[in-house]
Amino acid sequence: MSHLLILIPVAIGLGLLGLAAFVWSLRAGQYDDLDGAAVRILVDEENQPQKRQDEK
């Protein structure tokens, strides 16, 4: 029974830490472009126009 006094707060703390990390990733824009990575792998870089060196 005494183990539960340690395990329950640890589990709640880890859950809150995971929730905080998820909310941070949402605010940082990690999920904004879901289709871009899937399409980017299909695009051949040889056919892309070259960027000039003065462009960023």
Side-chain angles (χ1 to χ4, degrees), residues 18-32 34:
L19 180 63
F22 177 70
V23 170
W24 171 81
S25 68
L26 281 177
R27 290 180 186 242
Q30 294 292 318
Y31 302 107
D32 285 348
L34 296 177

Side-chain angles (χ1 to χ4, degrees), residues 6-41:
I6 296 171
L7 290 177
I8 290 175
V10 168
I12 291 173
L14 287 175
L16 290 175
L17 183 67
L19 180 63
F22 177 70
V23 170
W24 171 81
S25 68
L26 281 177
R27 290 180 186 242
Q30 294 292 318
Y31 302 107
D32 285 348
D33 185 18
L34 296 177
D35 295 327
V39 174
R40 199 174 311 128
I41 196 168

